Amino acid sequence: MPQRTLHTDTLFNPLTKGVENGVSIVVDEDTGSVVKLFGRSEPLPAVLPEGDVDLRGKFVMPGFVDAHTHIFLHSYDENPSLNQKRDESFTERVIRAVNHCRVGLLAGYTTYRDLGSESMKEADCNVRDAINRGLIPGPRLFVATRVIASTGSYESRTENRIGGTCLPNGSDPADGADEIRKAVRRRIAHGADIVKFYADYRRRIMRYPPRQQHPYVGSVLHPPAQPNPDVLCYSQEEMDALVAEARLADCPVACHAGTKQGVIMAAKAGSLTIEHAYFADDDVFAAMKENGCIFVPTLAVCERLHVQRFPEISAQVKRAWDLGVKLACGGDTGTYPHGENAREMELMIEAGIPVVDVLAAGTVGGWKSCGGDQCGKRFGWLEEGLSADIIALDADPRQEKNALRMVSFVMKDAKIWKKEGAAIGMA
Ligand SMILES: [Zn+2]
């Protein structure tokens, strides 16, 4: 049966941030799209037509978009001494990604913006394609492949090895405008949907071995106050060249930036999104606003890795919202467990942002962070012709704190993956 009808009585619209009552939605599995939405004028019969889905009594909304994920990472907390890039095989990491994609989808996440394959080269493209071809269940992936960073910045430490790196490189190193333009072309040729670059990073990571990138402060005797401070990776000219080159290919850009200066430079260059910005003030947010950037605060990873500063970081995110900065929800999922993606939205709500604004940031905001129409599809709200990504929560998140974890129904591209709380179609 290509078409089916879903009946709702509380349907959230991220565009108006309000709910609509008594709406039914016709979807088509052949096209994966919404055929139409209509307000019911008559009560429904006691027995619904075969194939119809009864979502009355639930809080129904478009599928969640996680705007910052890593499908090849699993929680750093599981084994802090494990370096996933070094200690896990390519195959193991692919198998883990398959599992991560399944649990992410079952948690209501119908789209992932996956920002860096973390030493898995372009395997994120292959997972994306496997999902799109129906081989495995998972969110719709928009991937960055390898991130672009300057030489020696987002790389593994090398000082203890002669002739070669200890670990597979996670980045595609490029320096100077010409090399950077070439790197952008290479990323797009290799299948990237989004170009991600590093405006700054902890480039002195190698000063305090044996600790690697995580946790941030190595356990050494008498370390300076900031053993590994974030410092710039690129000049303004280099960032400008990167964004301009991506624009030639109509490809959105995401920027990792921790420092104020890094954010301001990336915003000026025209990066669509700014990731993290855990040192931010009004000048930083003004730069984001002026340049139309979307801010992806990644509170969920900050909660774990920046414990002491977390209250301040949380307050900054609320300040960004107060000032009218556009937001998307992405937790850096993978550094904490896939399936718990909703932690990011919960933390944004705890920061003081109204629930309905967080729901909008977690749906249509996520679509915009994928480049909006640049990504080739429309999702994140429900309208005729859009992707039929629909989820149902067993409680209203405006009233119930845990509602975002109570996802009992998941439909992506008009195909049902979860019903009455149980996975289906995954045999
Ligand atoms: Zn990340």
Side-chain angles (χ1 to χ4, degrees):
M1 188 183 341
Q3 290 202 352
R4 66 169 82 241
T5 306
L6 284 58
H7 304 288
T8 76
D9 53 24
T10 308
L11 178 65
F12 179 70
N13 181 345
L15 301 182
T16 62
K17 298 176 189 168
V19 296
E20 288 152 19
N21 302 114
V23 173
S24 293
I25 312 163
V26 182
V27 301
D28 188 316
E29 207 170 315
D30 286 347
T31 64
S33 306
V34 173
V35 176
K36 66 172 175 178
L37 290 94
F38 62 94
R40 292 188 302 274
S41 45
E42 303 278 314
L44 288 168
V47 180
L48 292 175
E50 201 194 329
D52 280 19
V53 181
D54 191 358
L55 297 176
R56 288 173 296 173
K58 297 180 189 296
F59 187 91
V60 182
M61 59 180 291
F64 296 135
V65 179
D66 193 325
H68 190 136
T69 65
H70 297 282
I71 55 168
F72 295 113
L73 292 181
H74 57 98
S75 181
Y76 293 154
D77 295 352
E78 283 173 29
N79 181 354
S81 66
L82 180 83
N83 186 309
Q84 299 175 32
K85 299 176 193 180
R86 181 190 62 204
D87 302 333
E88 293 176 353
S89 71
F90 197 88
T91 310
E92 176 178 340
R93 298 189 72 194
V94 170
I95 292 168
R96 285 182 180 276
V98 170
N99 292 340
H100 297 155
C101 287
R102 186 181 62 245
V103 298
L105 179 63
L106 290 173
Y109 283 78
T110 48
T111 303
Y112 265 23
R113 193 174 68 125
D114 205 65
L115 290 187
S117 67
E118 299 284 327
S119 299
M120 286 294 283
K121 304 182 189 290
E122 287 81 30
D124 46 358
C125 297
N126 309 132
V127 176
R128 171 196 66 197
D129 297 348
I131 291 169
N132 288 345
R133 290 172 186 150
L135 298 177
I136 54 165
R140 179 183 303 109
L141 299 184
F142 293 96
V143 304
T145 67
R146 290 158 68 182
V147 298
I148 298 176
S150 56
T151 296
S153 54
Y154 192 66
E155 285 186 14
S156 315
R157 24 183 300 244
T158 55
E159 82 287 3
N160 292 341
R161 288 285 169 102
I162 298 169
T165 55
C166 323
L167 302 173
N169 199 341
S171 70
D172 185 353
D175 307 294
D178 286 350
E179 269 188 40
I180 287 167
R181 285 184 181 276
K182 212 166 179 178
V184 170
R185 291 178 186 188
R186 207 159 41 227
R187 289 304 97 223
I188 290 165
H190 286 181
D193 303 298
I194 292 158
V195 167
K196 183 187 178 189
F197 80 101
Y198 276 65
D200 50 36
Y201 202 64
R202 302 177 298 278
R203 289 164 57 190
R204 304 297 176 84
I205 203 98
M206 66 289 289
R207 285 194 296 176
Y208 297 94
R211 289 303 188 108
Q212 293 282 341
Q213 282 126 328
H214 303 285
Y216 289 88
V217 180
S219 56
V220 295
L221 296 175
H222 319 301
Q226 281 200 61
N228 301 311
D230 280 310
V231 289
L232 289 171
C233 299
Y234 281 129
S235 67
Q236 186 70 57
E237 185 200 358
E238 289 174 308
M239 293 189 204
D240 290 349
L242 185 145
V243 176
E245 186 60 41
R247 280 191 182 150
L248 291 184
D250 201 23
C251 183
V253 174
C255 174
H256 167 113
T259 65
K260 292 176 191 176
Q261 203 184 355
V263 174
I264 292 170
M265 288 166 71
K268 271 190 195 153
S271 183
L272 174 67
T273 70
I274 302 287
E275 314 297 312
H276 314 302
Y278 22 66
F279 290 95
D281 57 17
D282 283 9
D283 291 341
V284 162
F285 296 132
M288 288 190 197
K289 249 192 113 171
E290 202 180 308
N291 293 283
C293 297
I294 299 167
F295 178 29
V296 185
T298 66
L299 284 172
V301 70
C302 291
E303 172 187 42
R304 288 164 182 248
L305 298 184
H306 298 273
V307 179
Q308 283 173 358
R309 283 197 62 239
F310 188 72
E312 192 186 329
I313 293 170
S314 174
Q316 285 168 7
V317 175
K318 169 64 163 47
R319 178 70 180 153
W321 179 81
D322 287 339
L323 293 171
V325 174
K326 291 188 273 187
L327 295 167
C329 305
D332 221 344
T333 313
T335 65
Y336 66 102
H338 291 271
E340 294 179 21
N341 316 55
R343 185 68 189 141
E344 182 68 13
M345 290 194 282
E346 291 170 352
L347 288 170
M348 285 168 84
I349 293 166
E350 284 173 24
I353 302 172
V355 174
V356 292
D357 286 277
V358 173
L359 294 180
T363 50
V364 66
W367 174 72
K368 289 177 181 166
S369 78
C370 294
D373 282 326
Q374 280 183 308
C375 81
K377 279 186 98 68
R378 287 188 170 184
F379 52 86
W381 73 103
L382 295 169
E383 198 179 291
E384 188 185 323
L386 266 69
S387 298
D389 299 345
I390 300 167
I391 61 172
L393 317 180
D394 283 346
D396 186 332
R398 296 170 302 175
Q399 276 123 40
E400 166 62 48
K401 222 175 145 215
N402 295 323
L404 301 172
R405 312 266 183 145
M406 298 162 76
V407 176
S408 59
F409 174 85
V410 178
M411 167 179 275
K412 180 191 141 209
D413 288 328
K415 182 168 166 51
I416 299 172
W417 290 104
K418 191 179 195 181
K419 202 174 173 185
E420 285 152 19
I424 59 171
M426 295 190 184

